[in-house]
């Protein structure tokens, strides 16, 4: 029998024991209506998000092809390979009551970086996209920025987190990398991290010729290609490379670590075709959706001409209390007059 902790609500305990008893299939049928009530908001947000993307795609001029872009941040550590692998068991199973440990220097544990990863729907463009790693000055030596690698750039900042000013610089870098590809109209997808939601980001993207759309905060695991198809395999491959390059003492040198970052970007990020990831998340219509999206079965607006999403629909995708840069997001696709910053 399960033992419940003291302080738990009696209602929680009763519900927990009810779920753990027999006839789970019948109880799943009882809970099914409540599950769909929980998914009601997500269903509406997915439909609105697709409406937004379909409208942007309809605004692409003649002779232009759509280049779907998705940029997102993920945190990486030089000691990523030191995480436990294999079977995780209780400490009482070990004769010494302690699990196995591996030596690790403090400066390596603190040397985390943020990778601003970028992926696109066109295989020919993917190798040219910027892969930027942000490191804090206190933990990232200046020598790291001197290492030349064709696939990556390392920026030393006051913090390893992405900021609005860093994001503006990254947009300029992305625009410079896309200059040779004049046949494409870039449509950039960002999540709703605070550094992305500043009105200056939307205005900067519009001034550079990008169409910009934001992935709803609670739907990144469903409709953001980087979260759905890229980051899991990316980190698995990075850990394998770190294991191959660590010393007998379990350490990875700075040069080897940077080489691993460049290699995983070259072999994994640039070596795969990501168009299917955009299809499985519904960004490119007509493909086979992921099982989670197929289960939600969100409807897609199919009218011609497709109207511009109204302010209330777009605002429903944003967190409460956030300012919605509606005019800056839609004045280029809708060919409105240049707006002021909201």
């Amino acid at each position: 029998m399960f033992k419940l902790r003291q302080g738990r609500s009696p209602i929680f305990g009763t519900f927990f024991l009810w779920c753990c008893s027999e006839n789970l299939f019948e109880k799943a049928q009882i809970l099914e209506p409540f599950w769909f009530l929980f998914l009601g908001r997500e269903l509406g947000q997915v439909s609105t998000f697709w409406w937004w993307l379909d409208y942007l795609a309809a605004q692409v001029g003649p002779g232009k092809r759509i280049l779907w872009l998705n940029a997102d941040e993920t945190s990486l550590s030089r000691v990523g390979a030191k995480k436990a692998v294999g079977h995780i068991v209780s400490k009482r199973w070990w004769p010494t009551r302690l699990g196995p440990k591996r030596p690790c220097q403090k400066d390596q544990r603190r040397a985390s970086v943020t990778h601003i990863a970028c992926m696109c729907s066109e295989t020919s463009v993917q190798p040219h996209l910027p892969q930027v790693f942000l490191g804090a000055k206190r933990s990232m030596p200046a020598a790291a920025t001197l290492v030349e690698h064709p696939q990556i750039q390392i920026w030393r900042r006051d913090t390893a987190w992405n900021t609005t000013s860093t994001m503006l610089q990254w947009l300029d870098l992305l625009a410079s990398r896309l200059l040779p590809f004049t046949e494409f109209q870039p449509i950039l997808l960002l999540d709703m991290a605070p550094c992305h939601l500043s009105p200056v980001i939307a205005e900067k993207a519009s001034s550079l010729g990008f169409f910009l759309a934001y992935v709803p905060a609670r739907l990144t695991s469903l409709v953001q290609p980087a979260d759905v198809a890229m980051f899991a395999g990316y980190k698995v491959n990075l850990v394998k490379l770190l294991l191959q390059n660590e010393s007998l003492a379990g350490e990875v040198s700075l040069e080897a670590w940077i080489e691993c970052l460049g290699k995983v970007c070259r072999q994994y990020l640039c070596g795969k075709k990501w168009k299917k990831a955009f299809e499985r998340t519904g960004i490119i219509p007509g493909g086979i959706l992921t099982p989670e999206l197929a289960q939600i079965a969100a409807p897609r607006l199919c009218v011609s001409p497709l109207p511009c999403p109204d302010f209330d629909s777009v605002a429903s995708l944003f967190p409460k209390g956030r300012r919605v840069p509606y005019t800056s997001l839609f004045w280029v696709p809708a060919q409105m007059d240049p707006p002021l910053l909201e």
Side-chain angles (χ1 to χ4, degrees):
M1 179 63 68
F2 293 98
K3 183 184 294 184
L4 297 177
R5 292 182 180 179
Q6 293 182 356
R8 291 288 190 184
S9 170
I11 298 178
F12 171 81
T14 303
F15 177 76
F16 179 77
L17 294 176
W18 179 76
C19 291
C20 294
S21 58
E22 299 177 357
N23 302 324
L24 291 178
F25 179 74
E26 296 179 1
K27 291 170 182 176
Q29 291 179 321
I30 295 174
L31 293 175
E32 185 175 4
F34 299 97
W35 171 250
F36 282 103
L37 285 176
F38 174 76
L39 291 179
R41 181 180 178 182
E42 281 72 11
L43 185 147
Q45 287 188 336
V46 170
S47 296
T48 303
F49 177 64
W50 285 346
W51 175 17
W52 186 352
L53 300 183
D54 291 344
Y55 172 77
L56 294 179
Q59 304 308 308
V60 176
K64 289 276 190 178
R65 296 164 55 193
I66 300 176
L67 178 65
W68 295 102
L69 296 160
N70 182 210
D72 195 15
E73 297 87 3
T74 186
S75 180
L76 303 174
S77 175
R78 286 177 60 181
V79 295
K82 307 298 186 298
K83 294 182 178 180
V85 295
H87 296 284
I88 309 300
V89 299
S90 174
K91 288 182 179 179
R92 62 185 177 85
W93 286 21
W94 292 91
T96 60
R97 296 300 179 95
L98 294 174
K101 294 184 178 180
R102 301 176 67 184
C104 179
Q105 297 180 0
K106 185 181 293 185
D107 61 342
Q108 287 195 349
R109 293 198 302 269
R110 294 178 177 175
S112 296
V113 298
T114 296
H115 181 192
I116 308 178
C118 191
M119 61 188 297
C120 71
S121 57
E122 295 292 333
T123 307
S124 59
V125 181
Q126 182 67 38
H128 301 271
L129 298 181
Q131 306 297 336
V132 176
F133 295 85
L134 305 177
K137 293 180 180 179
R138 58 179 173 80
S139 59
M140 179 66 66
T145 60
L146 301 178
V147 178
E148 296 184 0
H149 200 285
Q151 301 295 334
I152 66 176
Q153 289 193 19
I154 298 179
W155 294 353
R156 292 177 74 238
R157 297 291 185 267
D158 294 333
T159 174
W161 296 102
N162 197 7
T163 62
T164 300
S165 59
T166 302
M167 196 64 195
L168 291 173
Q169 184 179 358
W170 182 87
L171 286 172
D172 284 328
L173 176 61
L174 176 63
S176 65
R177 295 291 184 89
L178 295 179
L179 282 178
F181 303 98
T182 56
E183 69 274 18
F184 291 106
Q185 170 57 56
I187 302 181
L188 177 61
L189 308 179
L190 300 174
D191 62 16
M192 294 192 177
C195 60
H196 300 160
L197 288 180
S198 174
V200 297
I201 298 296
E203 187 188 25
K204 182 69 171 180
S206 298
S207 66
L208 294 173
F210 297 155
F211 292 175
L212 181 61
Y214 287 107
V215 181
R218 297 185 179 182
L219 299 183
T220 55
S221 62
L222 288 176
V223 294
Q224 180 160 244
D227 287 339
V228 172
M230 184 179 72
F231 279 143
Y234 167 72
K235 292 191 175 184
V236 167
N237 282 270
L238 179 59
V239 167
K240 290 181 179 178
L241 290 175
L242 290 175
L243 286 172
Q244 295 172 3
N245 287 272
E246 67 179 11
S247 64
L248 296 178
E251 301 176 0
V252 180
S253 65
L254 178 63
E255 293 76 13
W257 181 54
I258 295 176
E259 184 62 30
C260 289
L261 295 179
K263 194 172 184 179
V264 73
C265 289
R266 181 174 64 254
Q267 294 183 349
Y268 185 76
L269 292 185
C270 301
K272 292 193 65 174
K273 298 179 180 179
W274 297 111
K275 183 177 180 180
K276 185 175 291 186
F278 290 87
E279 294 176 347
R280 289 178 59 80
T281 51
I283 294 171
I284 299 178
I288 300 177
L289 299 176
T290 61
E292 293 79 10
L293 280 177
Q295 183 180 8
I296 291 178
R300 202 166 195 132
L301 188 61
C302 298
V303 295
S304 183
L306 197 64
C308 179
D310 57 274
F311 177 85
D312 292 335
S313 297
V314 175
S316 67
L317 304 179
F318 283 72
K320 292 183 179 179
R322 286 286 184 180
R323 298 179 64 183
V324 181
Y326 180 80
T327 310
S328 298
L329 287 171
F330 287 98
W331 76 270
V332 170
Q335 299 179 353
M336 302 177 183
D337 293 333
L340 299 176
L341 277 178
E342 282 92 347

